[in-house]
Amino acid sequence: VYQGLGNGWISQEMTPEELLDRLTVVGEAIAPGHYQPGHYVADTRDDTGERIWVPIPEGTLGATGRKARETFLRSNVYFIDYDNESDKGENLSWDAAKEEPLFNRSALFAYTTPSHQTVGKGDRFRVVFRLAETITDVDAYINHHRGMCEGLIPAEGGFDRSMGPAQCVFGNPGALVHVYNLENTLEVQQPSPRSVGQGIHHHGPEDLERLRNTLDLISSDCDHHTWKQVASCVRNLTSANEEEGLDLWLWWCGKDG
């Protein structure tokens, strides 16, 4: 449950009914992954200049987590996000999503996001799944999730974005809601060979440096459409480590004034 951006997340186990309520009635922001709780040591940095972060036991009263690759613990929830633009043709519509066979077999529910059918926008919604087993490896989570989403893409395009375990998923009080079956689960299968090792996230410092070098070629003094495209790319490519993605995004936003 959201308490901050990269830090300050509270790990909570929820039933499907509670998850539905948190997202569509309360409107809280949620990240799919559970992360190791801990805290930063005040005014202390390591030899590289990074703040020192100390883990503490799960279940500690008031403990909050830090969303990063190395602190990922587990997840058994998937979200997929559909963002249709009214002037660019439609992907899967809200009404079609209610009839989609995979969703009816395996999804818990779908809900519309705040920009659904607003000016210039088409159908915008998320579909929520509970996994039949818990995944404890961040690469396995992202690769399987991406493979599942690839299977939903028809020739003309289908889902808008797969979402990593660190991504912030905002709720929408008063959303339109379609419940498939709150007893449904999605079987976790091995990802296809073409998706293994081709995750949409970046793994380490060298990958992030390559991403930074690419962003350096793009002016942040740009039109709103380009700004949105860059934001989406950075979010997806750093989905396993929101802290580093946020730092990179803020650097790019300020680099050209």
Side-chain angles (χ1 to χ4, degrees):
V1 177
Y2 176 78
Q3 297 290 316
L5 285 174
N7 307 309
W9 287 76
I10 300 174
S11 289
Q12 294 184 357
E13 300 288 348
M14 284 183 268
T15 66
E17 291 83 1
E18 289 170 331
L19 181 60
L20 176 62
D21 181 76
R22 292 291 187 91
L23 287 170
T24 65
V25 177
V26 181
E28 287 183 321
I30 290 172
H34 283 259
Y35 289 83
Q36 175 67 51
H39 61 85
Y40 284 105
V41 179
D43 301 321
T44 306
R45 295 182 180 271
D46 61 20
D47 293 339
T48 66
E50 295 293 323
R51 292 182 298 169
I52 296 176
W53 187 83
V54 178
I56 58 178
E58 281 195 89
T60 302
L61 184 64
T64 60
R66 166 175 164 253
K67 294 195 299 176
R69 164 174 293 279
E70 64 271 17
T71 61
F72 176 78
L73 295 176
R74 62 188 179 275
S75 180
N76 69 338
V77 178
Y78 277 169
F79 293 82
I80 57 174
D81 200 14
Y82 287 86
D83 285 347
N84 291 306
E85 300 284 352
S86 60
D87 60 345
K88 296 182 180 179
E90 290 291 320
N91 290 324
L92 190 70
S93 70
W94 173 245
D95 287 336
K98 298 175 186 178
E99 305 300 325
E100 165 60 42
L102 173 63
F103 299 165
N104 278 281
R105 290 195 310 271
S106 305
L108 297 174
F109 58 89
Y111 70 97
T112 56
T113 57
S115 59
H116 174 71
Q117 288 296 333
T118 55
V119 177
K121 308 298 182 184
D123 289 352
R124 296 191 160 207
F125 57 94
R126 295 191 182 101
V127 185
V128 185
F129 297 83
R130 175 179 55 179
L131 305 182
E133 62 187 78
T134 298
I135 298 178
T136 57
D137 178 81
V138 67
D139 290 317
Y141 180 98
I142 293 175
N143 284 325
H144 177 266
H145 191 241
R146 186 187 187 201
M148 180 195 75
C149 290
E150 286 176 343
L152 294 173
I153 303 176
E156 67 276 10
F159 89 106
D160 179 73
R161 182 172 59 248
S162 61
M163 306 185 77
Q167 285 188 229
C168 182
V169 179
F170 289 97
N172 181 22
L176 299 176
V177 177
H178 179 75
V179 176
Y180 297 103
N181 186 335
L182 295 182
E183 299 295 324
N184 277 349
T185 57
L186 176 70
E187 293 297 325
V188 177
Q189 300 175 347
Q190 291 297 317
S192 63
R194 68 191 179 110
S195 67
V196 174
Q198 298 177 12
I200 57 177
H201 55 286
H202 282 250
H203 294 271
E206 291 183 359
D207 297 306
L208 287 167
E209 188 61 29
R210 282 195 290 270
L211 179 56
R212 179 184 289 267
N213 291 339
T214 300
L215 289 173
D216 200 28
L217 301 174
I218 306 170
S219 174
S220 60
D221 185 17
C222 58
D223 60 79
H224 186 61
H225 177 68
T226 301
W227 187 89
K228 285 172 58 180
Q229 286 185 312
V230 174
S232 180
C233 287
V234 172
R235 182 170 70 168
N236 287 338
L237 290 169
T238 59
S239 61
N241 194 330
E242 190 179 72
E243 266 192 338
E244 292 181 345
L246 178 62
D247 288 343
L248 194 57
W249 168 244
L250 293 175
W251 165 81
W252 180 79
C253 287
K255 79 180 185 72
D256 293 309

